[in-house]
Amino acid sequence: MWRFACWLESQQLGTCFNQTEQVLYAYMNHLRDTGSAPTSASHFVESLRFCNQIFKFQKMDIGHVLSTRVTGASHSMFLKKRKLTQAPAFPVRAVQVFEQICISASEPHKRVIAGALMFSIFACVRWFDAMRIEELFQDSYDTIVVLEAATALHKTSMSKESKTRLLPYTALGTFLEEEFGPGATEFSSHSCKM
């Protein structure tokens, strides 16, 4: 709204709380013509609706001024937004560094952090979900270590029923450095301190 108020001031058009549909459409064109961010018009429309809900405009009919023409201009700008792409893959070398820290760092806090990151990577867990792990178990056989974790708060837990069910996560506790073999239980033991 501040940007809109500044534009109105530069055009000497008065307050941002008493405008016509024509002025709002001219502002949409201004945003498009000056190369504003593709989401700026839709953010403006949302903020105008928000202000109407909070302040209850007396002289401006929000349904009339946010006409199909104005919201259509906002939508056409939004469609020019860059498509979301997946982040680049985590390099193997970075994972090896975390593994080295987890296994041989002298500071325990570094081992715990590296262990948590390693678990998130190898269990394919979102960091936000990993922060809410309630249970963590370690199982091993010979040189194979398996970590199992569970959480009730995760990305897909929307209903009351799903919030009472634990979602399991599983990761191998032996990773890239073959020479460590059973020593990878260091990862497991430090991950248990998450």
Side-chain angles (χ1 to χ4, degrees):
M1 289 297 290
W2 177 251
R3 188 187 220 179
F4 179 54
C6 290
W7 179 79
L8 289 171
E9 179 64 29
S10 71
Q11 304 294 310
Q12 298 179 347
L13 293 172
T15 177
C16 57
F17 301 124
N18 184 17
Q19 292 300 325
T20 64
E21 187 270 350
Q22 291 81 11
V23 172
L24 264 64
Y25 185 68
Y27 181 63
M28 293 292 156
N29 288 330
H30 165 74
L31 290 175
R32 185 185 59 235
D33 296 342
T34 57
S36 295
T39 56
S40 60
S42 65
H43 289 162
F44 165 70
V45 169
E46 290 170 15
S47 67
L48 194 63
R49 285 187 173 129
F50 176 78
C51 286
N52 182 53
Q53 289 296 315
I54 299 298
F55 304 132
K56 306 291 184 206
F57 295 151
Q58 300 297 311
K59 297 184 177 184
M60 187 165 65
D61 177 13
I62 200 78
H64 177 72
V65 295
L66 290 179
S67 66
T68 308
R69 182 169 79 148
V70 171
T71 55
S74 166
H75 182 69
S76 68
M77 275 185 71
F78 187 85
L79 292 178
K80 293 180 179 152
K81 180 181 167 195
R82 178 181 56 88
K83 302 285 187 266
L84 290 177
T85 57
Q86 189 172 3
F90 213 53
V92 172
R93 181 68 193 125
V95 177
Q96 287 172 327
V97 169
F98 285 135
E99 189 172 17
Q100 291 289 330
I101 292 169
C102 185
I103 292 169
S104 58
S106 59
E107 300 93 345
H109 70 281
K110 289 183 180 179
R111 294 175 110 166
V112 171
I113 293 167
L117 290 168
M118 295 286 290
F119 180 80
S120 296
I121 292 167
F122 285 96
C124 299
V125 178
R126 295 171 63 240
W127 180 253
F128 185 77
D129 294 340
M131 291 181 351
R132 287 161 176 74
I133 287 175
E134 297 174 17
E135 301 173 350
L136 189 59
F137 304 102
Q138 174 185 319
D139 194 12
S140 58
Y141 176 77
D142 197 22
T143 61
I144 299 172
V145 177
V146 176
L147 284 177
E148 297 176 56
T151 181
L153 298 172
H154 48 86
K155 183 179 180 178
T156 58
S157 64
M158 301 298 176
S159 68
K160 289 186 285 187
E161 180 65 30
S162 65
K163 289 180 181 178
T164 61
R165 189 178 311 125
L166 291 176
L167 178 69
Y169 297 117
T170 305
L172 290 175
T174 308
F175 300 115
L176 305 171
E177 299 294 333
E178 292 178 19
E179 74 241 33
F180 289 111
T185 56
E186 287 292 316
F187 161 74
S188 307
S189 63
H190 288 289
S191 292
C192 290
K193 298 175 186 172
M194 286 196 299

